[in-house]
Amino acid sequence: MTSDPKHSPTEAFVWIWLPGAIDPVVAGRIVRSGPIYMFNYGQSYLRLKAAIPLYLPELPLRRGAITPEPPLTMAGCLRDGAPDAWGRRVIINRLTGLKGDAARDVEFDDLTFMLNSGSDRAGALDFQTSATEYRAREEADATLEDLLEAAGRVERGEPIPQALERALFHGSSIGGARPKALIAEDGRKFIAKFSATNDTYPVVKAEFVAMRLAASVGLTAAPVRLVSASGKDVLLVERFDREPAGTAWRRRAMVSALTLFGLDEMQARYASYADLAEQVRARFTAPQTTLRELFARMVFNVLCGNTDDHARNHAAFWDGKALTLTPAYDICPQARTGREAGQAMLIQGEDRRSQLQACRAAARHFHLEDGEARGLIDAQVVAIREGWEDVCDAAKLGPIERTFLWERQFLNDYAFDGYPRS
């Protein structure tokens, strides 16, 4: 990887929308020292009565530099606000002008990505070069057709007209590896997800089906809509970290499960549902209800073939004192070649098998008796079977597409190995 020293800042100021606020305040400063990013709260922030820790136990409200705990090089709650693969690709394209393969060997430090991505990032933080003046890095609204064209050009390594570049930049701060953008419509904010050029199955429609079925089986899931732009499918996912306040927006602070675990990206494979359940029992609001919801999400991921359920695809709201599970998101069935499959996040111990029996064996971590766990599992299977045709009709899936997804991603036989069918 190479980096351009012209785009290597050594500091950034962290601004936060406090609970209920419509305007941000500066909270502190990130300073890069070699590979380590230290954080200092500002004195003015520490004097605020309404000030909250950006996240505990990582960044307690105190004076002085706070160094991240190894193996982290940056506090997880700050890293949660940085763009992931897709946003980084857009930013590299924007800063270097390099396209396609030529851009693959370029990498920047985290501060560069944080300061050169859009300001409407997930959660309640933003990153600025100034401690006194907040300037949102946002661009004018664009049509879905424009955004779709811009995303396609980035994927194909083609030049992007300036107007389209500005439009796509707005969504560069949102996490994930797939093409996406941000839009506002009818007083609501959405993440728009596009198909990718290398898709081998209808990924956008499959995620729509999974998200709709998740709601139908009783999960708390982000609302979704399927629309068309330039003859292609676009999934609109309503944002749950934004609340309208007249012409402005309130932002809700969030942290990923990866941050809850204190892990970095390279250690994500050690994250488990059982460990997340332990966090829920100790730190979350409404722990009993949340444990049941988390167990149900784990089961549904197995039943719908979502093996991309890594720790960044689980999150919690943070109010400065307690955590509350966010609605489910990024539930997307994944392509599979063999019969066997494993979840991205361990279920318990070293077991990540995408099987209902593995979920059942872990039920105790969620304060569920075996009968309760089986009842929840069986109810989901029935609800998926009963709702399948209607949600496929809503997605306008053709017979071949339905056949591709049914009992391959959704209700794959491997999921039922060892599980007593009723």
Side-chain angles (χ1 to χ4, degrees), residues 157-174:
E158 297 174 0
I160 305 175
Q162 189 175 28
L164 294 185
E165 180 188 59
R166 290 197 301 267
L168 195 62
F169 167 76
H170 183 44
S172 60
S173 58
I174 296 296

Side-chain angles (χ1 to χ4, degrees), residues 12 86 102 169 180 211 252 277 307 309 343 348 390:
W86 173 252
F169 167 76
K180 59 179 63 66
M211 290 293 288
R252 298 192 67 180
T307 54
D309 56 339
Q343 299 303 120
Q348 66 169 341
D390 284 345

Side-chain angles (χ1 to χ4, degrees), residues 31 35 174 182 414:
V31 177
I174 296 296
L182 299 176
Y414 177 70

Side-chain angles (χ1 to χ4, degrees), residues 46-370:
L46 290 174
R47 289 193 295 268
L48 280 180
K49 289 184 178 180
I52 65 171
L54 300 192
Y55 176 61
L56 292 176
E58 275 192 320
L59 298 178
L61 283 175
R62 64 172 176 81
R63 296 183 179 186
I66 303 174
T67 303
E69 291 289 331
L72 302 182
T73 59
M74 177 187 290
C77 63
L78 301 175
R79 177 61 183 81
D80 281 343
D84 286 330
W86 173 252
R88 291 179 179 229
R89 190 170 176 181
V90 172
I91 292 164
I92 290 171
N93 183 298
R94 183 183 177 101
L95 293 181
T96 68
L98 297 173
K99 318 295 180 186
D101 291 341
R104 292 181 180 175
D105 293 329
V106 177
E107 186 59 274
F108 298 119
D109 62 278
D110 282 328
L111 289 187
T112 297
F113 286 119
M114 294 157 90
L115 290 171
N116 286 280
S117 51
S119 289
D120 200 9
R121 65 190 75 248
L125 302 182
D126 192 24
F127 309 101
Q128 299 276 310
T129 58
S130 171
T132 58
E133 183 179 7
Y134 180 80
R135 292 186 178 181
R137 295 181 299 278
E138 296 180 5
E139 304 293 346
D141 291 338
T143 66
L144 280 176
E145 286 78 10
D146 287 341
L147 293 166
L148 189 62
E149 180 183 348
R153 284 175 177 264
V154 169
E155 281 201 291
R156 296 190 299 271
E158 297 174 0
I160 305 175
Q162 189 175 28
L164 294 185
E165 180 188 59
R166 290 197 301 267
L168 195 62
F169 167 76
H170 183 44
S172 60
S173 58
I174 296 296
R178 293 185 56 80
K180 59 179 63 66
L182 299 176
I183 67 167
E185 182 181 279
D186 299 329
R188 292 179 292 172
K189 290 200 171 192
F190 299 89
I191 298 172
K193 295 188 170 185
F194 310 123
S195 59
T197 54
N198 60 350
D199 285 346
T200 57
Y201 66 103
V203 175
V204 170
K205 285 183 176 179
E207 184 169 352
F208 170 82
V209 169
M211 290 293 288
R212 281 289 178 88
L213 283 174
S216 74
V217 304
L219 299 185
T220 302
V224 295
R225 286 196 291 130
L226 194 63
V227 298
S228 180
S230 300
K232 296 184 178 180
D233 297 308
V234 179
L235 181 69
L236 298 184
V237 184
E238 187 169 352
R239 296 185 65 172
F240 45 74
D241 62 339
R242 295 293 184 268
E243 298 174 342
T247 58
W249 295 88
R250 297 187 182 94
R251 304 191 182 194
R252 298 192 67 180
M254 290 167 43
V255 290
S256 70
L258 197 64
T259 292
L260 300 182
F261 293 135
L263 301 176
D264 64 13
E265 301 288 348
M266 298 302 293
Q267 293 184 311
R269 65 185 182 277
Y270 300 120
S272 77
Y273 282 99
D275 290 341
L276 184 52
E278 183 178 352
Q279 292 268 357
V280 169
R281 294 194 300 271
R283 306 189 61 201
F284 277 61
T285 59
Q288 288 302 117
T289 301
T290 303
L291 286 169
R292 186 178 182 87
E293 171 78 13
L294 182 60
F295 181 82
R297 292 185 189 186
M298 176 177 69
V299 168
F300 186 76
N301 283 331
V302 168
L303 289 173
C304 78
N306 176 31
T307 54
D308 191 39
D309 56 339
H310 56 78
R312 284 210 182 278
N313 281 343
H314 301 271
F317 295 121
W318 167 250
D319 65 4
K321 296 179 181 179
L323 296 157
T324 303
L325 194 65
T326 71
Y329 59 95
D330 284 356
I331 303 176
C332 186
Q334 302 295 302
R336 58 199 295 172
T337 52
R339 182 173 181 273
E340 297 183 2
Q343 299 303 120
M345 202 155 82
L346 291 160
I347 292 175
Q348 66 169 341
E350 298 300 315
D351 191 358
R352 65 174 77 248
R353 292 171 299 156
S354 301
Q355 292 186 323
L356 297 175
Q357 190 64 8
C359 297
R360 180 186 173 193
R364 60 185 176 83
H365 296 286
F366 304 85
H367 286 185
L368 293 174
E369 298 292 338
D370 184 62

